[in-house]
């Protein structure tokens, strides 16, 4: 199966990247997923003006996804504008595909408000959000002196999250295929 992991922030010094890279490693270790890592910071740098180019390669990556993971920090009780710009640049590519969210924040609730907003937006974009989410609170305390993310406190949550995403992806394939043929 194919998973697209989207890092949803372009801010400098972003802790979210360490969390996203950790998730990427964990998915690769499972051995049952191919993964594409999309960083909105890179995509917005490549954009012309303020609109993300919908090049054929990116559309192909999104269209071939069986599932999505979005890692987003919470800024001012919401998610980053560059993530909104990216998500709104596509639509059909998300049809009947499961999406799991990982919220990241320096506060105690781990980006929960950003995740709640993303869940609502994802429904309108034709994603199917899974029930389990990851919340990484006080992320700055989970980065060691070498800049490595210490996942000890969320390891069992990550396993449950990835297992649920896998089940959804597998069972939604026939629905997605039927809807895409219309």
């Amino acid at each position: 199966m194919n998973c697209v992991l989207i890092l949803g922030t372009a801010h400098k010094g972003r802790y979210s990247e360490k969390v996203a890279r950790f998730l990427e490693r964990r998915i690769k270790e499972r051995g049952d997923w191919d993964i594409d890592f999309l960083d909105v910071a890179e995509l917005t740098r490549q954009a012309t003006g303020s609109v993300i180019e919908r090049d054929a390669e990116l559309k192909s990556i999104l269209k071939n996804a069986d599932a999505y993971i979005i890692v987003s920090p919470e800024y001012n009780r919401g998610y980053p504008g560059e993530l909104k710009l990216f998500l709104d640049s596509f639509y059909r590519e998300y049809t009947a595909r499961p999406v799991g969210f990982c919220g990241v924040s320096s506060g105690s609730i781990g980006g929960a408000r950003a995740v709640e907003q993303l869940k609502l937006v994802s429904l309108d974009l034709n994603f199917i959000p899974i029930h389990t989410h990851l919340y990484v609170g006080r992320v700055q305390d989970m980065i060691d002196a070498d800049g490595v993310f210490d996942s000890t406190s969320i390891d069992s949550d990550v396993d449950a999250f990835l297992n649920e995403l896998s089940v959804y992806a597998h069972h939604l394939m026939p629905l997605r295929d039927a809807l895409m043929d219309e």
Side-chain angles (χ1 to χ4, degrees):
M1 287 192 284
N2 297 312
C3 181
V4 171
L5 192 154
I6 301 169
L7 173 55
T9 180
H11 284 234
K12 291 181 179 166
R14 55 199 178 157
Y15 290 121
S16 306
E17 182 174 10
K18 295 182 185 314
V19 177
R21 292 295 181 187
F22 157 75
L23 286 172
E24 179 185 33
R25 283 191 306 278
R26 285 293 291 272
I27 292 165
K28 286 178 178 177
E29 288 169 4
R30 287 174 60 101
D32 59 344
W33 291 90
D34 290 323
I35 186 161
D36 288 294
F37 190 98
L38 299 179
D39 183 342
V40 298
E42 292 298 317
L43 297 170
T44 54
R45 274 195 286 274
Q46 297 167 7
T48 303
S50 63
V51 179
I52 294 174
E53 295 174 312
R54 296 181 189 168
D55 63 66
E57 181 183 357
L58 184 55
K59 280 190 100 153
S60 176
I61 289 169
L62 298 175
K63 183 180 177 188
N64 289 324
D66 297 305
Y68 287 84
I69 296 172
I70 298 174
V71 177
S72 177
E74 181 176 309
Y75 298 132
N76 302 317
R77 299 182 180 262
Y79 62 95
E82 56 269 19
L83 177 57
K84 177 71 167 147
L85 177 63
F86 175 79
L87 292 174
D88 286 353
S89 294
F90 302 94
Y91 182 77
R92 189 158 173 78
E93 293 79 9
Y94 308 139
T95 299
R97 285 163 174 88
V99 61
F101 300 103
C102 176
V104 180
S105 76
S106 59
S108 62
I109 62 173
R113 293 171 291 223
V115 167
E116 291 304 311
Q117 290 177 18
L118 282 165
K119 281 171 49 178
L120 290 173
V121 169
S122 72
L123 289 168
D124 205 50
L125 291 171
N126 269 348
F127 280 116
I128 298 176
I130 66 171
H131 178 73
T132 302
H133 307 298
L134 294 174
Y135 300 105
V136 181
R138 291 190 169 51
V139 66
Q140 68 279 5
D141 297 338
M142 299 173 80
I143 309 295
D144 70 17
D146 296 323
V148 177
F149 176 71
D150 176 8
S151 65
T152 307
S153 65
I154 64 164
D155 276 337
S156 62
D157 295 335
V158 170
D159 290 337
F161 174 80
L162 294 176
N163 288 339
E164 184 176 337
L165 187 67
S166 183
V167 168
Y168 269 74
H170 177 73
H171 288 288
L172 286 170
M173 280 184 192
L175 173 63
R176 180 191 72 221
D177 293 343
L179 289 171
M180 297 303 282
D181 289 338
E182 290 181 355

